[in-house]
Amino acid sequence: MSKVVRTGASILSPFIVVFGFYVIVHGHLTPGGGFQGGAVVATAAALVLVAFGREEFGGMLKKSTFSAQESIGLLLFAGAGILGLLAGMPFFANVLANSGLLFGTPVPSGPNPGDMNTAGVIPVMNIAVGVEVWGGLALVLLYMLSRVPAAGGER
């Protein structure tokens, strides 16, 4: 791609990643959540892929990294469910809600602007899904890219 496209991708991709993290973390307060935010973050990988091509993109981002990221997201999601069992409650019970711990602040009644430290295990699940979707979609991009012949004709 041209230098203009590469420069634009270099400038925009960090902002796309930050916006994706915003959507993931605020999923329990605003429309969005883990899947949408993970897809937004994976869009930054697609942008870099289009701008820099397979040779440079493959050097920056590895399949093993995204595969591990996908597994970590899955383990975190399952861990959020097991947390309920460990507390003697059903699987995926919201044990952190109103606990005073991380994401355990009670929600004030009536209209309020929203507090990040509420909703119990729901933000944890959003983060887990976001990490998993980001890793999974980026991995799909890399596998699709590996099937495209390089400029010289080799795979």
Side-chain angles (χ1 to χ4, degrees):
M1 278 290 162
S2 71
K3 189 169 186 159
V4 172
V5 173
R6 288 176 181 232
T7 303
S10 297
I11 292 170
L12 285 177
S13 59
F15 291 107
I16 293 171
V17 170
V18 169
F19 180 68
F21 288 145
Y22 172 84
V23 171
I24 291 170
V25 173
H26 288 84
H28 63 291
L29 297 174
T30 59
F35 187 89
Q36 293 85 352
V40 169
V41 176
T43 302
L47 179 64
V48 171
L49 168 69
V50 169
F52 291 95
R54 184 173 91 181
E55 294 79 21
E56 293 182 48
F57 184 76
M60 286 189 271
L61 305 171
K62 304 281 186 210
K63 289 178 185 174
S64 60
T65 303
F66 289 120
S67 182
Q69 180 181 334
E70 189 178 18
S71 299
I72 289 169
L74 183 62
L75 289 174
L76 184 62
F77 190 80
I82 292 171
L83 198 60
L85 293 176
L86 293 176
M89 301 171 82
F91 192 69
F92 280 126
N94 198 351
V95 295
L96 295 177
N98 300 326
S99 67
L101 301 172
L102 181 66
F103 302 120
T105 302
V107 178
S109 63
N112 61 71
D115 185 358
M116 284 293 299
N117 199 22
T118 58
V121 294
I122 295 171
V124 175
M125 293 165 60
N126 276 333
I127 292 169
V129 170
V131 168
E132 203 278 339
V133 168
W134 172 21
L137 289 178
L139 201 56
V140 167
L141 284 171
L142 288 176
Y143 276 112
M144 288 173 57
L145 182 63
S146 68
R147 300 296 300 168
V148 175
E154 61 183 69
R155 287 187 178 182

